[in-house]
Amino acid sequence: MSVNPDDDGSDRAAPEISGAEHAVMEALWQRSPLTAQEVCEEVCGPRGWSLATVKTLLSRLVVKQAVETEPDGKRFLYSPLMERSDYVGTESRRLVDRLFGGRAAPLFAHLAQSEALTEDDIVEIEALLKELKS
Amino acid sequence: MSVNPDDDGSDRAAPEISGAEHAVMEALWQRSPLTAQEVCEEVCGPRGWSLATVKTLLSRLVVKQAVETEPDGKRFLYSPLMERSDYVGTESRRLVDRLFGGRAAPLFAHLAQSEALTEDDIVEIEALLKELKS
DNA sequence: CTCCACCGTCTACACACGTAATCGACTACG
DNA sequence: CGTAGTCGATTACGTGTGTAGACGGTGGAG
């Protein structure tokens, strides 16, 4: 890893992924590598995009070093470079920081109050809590 | 309430508040009504903004109907029109939907794994859980 | 060998955002 | 009564984003 001498060592703080780009990332996180065509098959329908749009988003993501390309004959295969868990992590943290002063409990309280918690959620969380305490 | 005949009745799905605008909203949620000057005193320092910037943000928020103005002599007093809890709610929901398929448990699991949960958080959440089950 | 289909790249363009200077009105001080 | 300061409104401008068409190369069908 880190074979690339261009890498300036600054641990480039997770490139910012925009909303539309995120949809593309999700497709790649689900299955990869994919061609632009295949990504489009995943996301163009739901979002009403054209293939051209997906191509643009993919290039932007390549520039941001969020996905990498691998030549396959005359076309490219795209794979995520960023881990989904990293993305999810920074996004969650950002929200908790901005809205709940960095504390997770108020977020939880809010979800509870707004009835965003299902029975299953509660059971699952209880299990997690038990595990945390061990 | 709802004195305004311009109101078309469509329950305008919570105006989108941008990052910079959010900082202004926080100031107003903390204390209101405030003059532009006062808002600036709250946020200009930390964010390195000029008064002009705050004024722009306030106008935009007024247009978005996220804050309202009340004349006070020659200037305006600004107050939030949107409830903070509503904002927090939609933002949280948006995140949970986008990143965790709408389920709160995975979010919680993620926070737990990434050590974003303090001892206090855990205790608090346990208490909340107990309350939920009653 | 030619030509078409398809690929990635380049270019485009409107709108949102962050950030701020400038302007016209008004008030308060001198 | 004029002038300086202050206020909101208007205008500005670079960048990011959503969305997509146009362009140039090339491999495969005929």
Side-chain angles (χ1 to χ4, degrees):
Chain A
M1 302 86 221
S2 186
V3 179
N4 190 342
D6 286 12
D7 195 329
D8 60 13
S10 70
D11 46 349
R12 66 178 61 279
E16 306 239 323
I17 303 302
S18 80
E21 288 161 357
H22 173 237
V24 169
M25 290 304 291
E26 284 294 343
L28 292 174
W29 277 323
Q30 213 146 32
R31 189 162 54 92
S32 75
L34 292 183
T35 66
Q37 196 67 250
E38 289 167 331
V39 171
C40 186
E41 274 154 28
E42 290 296 320
V43 302
C44 283
R47 319 267 302 203
W49 288 342
S50 76
L51 174 60
T53 300
V54 171
K55 287 183 187 175
T56 301
L57 294 173
L58 280 169
S59 333
R60 288 182 182 166
L61 285 168
V62 168
V63 170
K64 293 185 185 183
Q65 301 186 47
V67 319
E68 69 182 338
T69 55
E70 162 196 359
D72 170 53
K74 81 171 188 165
R75 62 220 163 130
F76 280 160
L77 296 182
Y78 298 86
S79 311
L81 254 184
M82 189 189 324
E83 293 281 346
R84 185 178 137 92
S85 64
D86 286 349
Y87 176 73
V88 166
T90 48
E91 288 304 303
S92 311
R93 183 97 49 166
R94 187 199 311 286
L95 182 98
V96 171
D97 285 349
R98 279 194 354 144
L99 270 57
F100 301 95
R103 301 281 320 284
L107 164 58
F108 182 80
H110 180 84
L111 290 172
Q113 277 178 340
S114 62
E115 293 163 45
L117 292 180
T118 65
E119 272 302 312
D120 290 350
D121 283 332
I122 294 176
V123 172
E124 245 174 87
I125 290 170
E126 271 181 327
L128 279 167
L129 268 183
K130 203 163 290 175
E131 211 174 300
L132 274 183
K133 299 210 304 182
S134 60
Chain B
M1 316 70 227
S2 185
V3 179
N4 190 342
D6 286 9
D7 195 328
D8 60 15
S10 69
D11 46 349
R12 74 176 53 281
E16 306 238 322
I17 305 302
S18 80
E21 287 162 358
H22 173 237
V24 170
M25 290 303 290
E26 285 294 343
L28 292 174
W29 278 322
Q30 212 145 32
R31 189 162 55 93
S32 75
L34 293 182
T35 66
Q37 195 68 249
E38 290 167 330
V39 172
C40 186
E41 275 154 27
E42 290 294 322
V43 301
C44 284
R47 319 265 304 203
W49 287 342
S50 79
L51 173 60
T53 300
V54 171
K55 286 182 185 176
T56 301
L57 294 173
L58 280 169
S59 331
R60 287 183 182 166
L61 286 168
V62 169
V63 170
K64 293 185 185 181
Q65 299 184 48
V67 320
E68 70 182 338
T69 56
E70 162 195 2
D72 170 53
K74 82 167 186 167
R75 61 221 165 122
F76 280 158
L77 295 181
Y78 298 85
S79 311
L81 255 184
M82 190 190 322
E83 293 282 347
R84 184 178 138 90
S85 64
D86 285 349
Y87 176 72
V88 166
T90 49
E91 288 304 304
S92 310
R93 183 96 49 167
R94 187 198 311 287
L95 182 96
V96 171
D97 284 351
R98 278 193 357 143
L99 270 57
F100 301 95
R103 300 282 319 287
L107 165 58
F108 182 80
H110 181 85
L111 290 172
Q113 276 180 340
S114 64
E115 292 161 46
L117 292 179
T118 66
E119 273 302 312
D120 289 352
D121 282 333
I122 294 176
V123 172
E124 244 175 86
I125 290 170
E126 271 182 326
L128 280 165
L129 268 183
K130 202 163 289 177
E131 212 174 298
L132 275 183
K133 300 211 303 182
S134 62

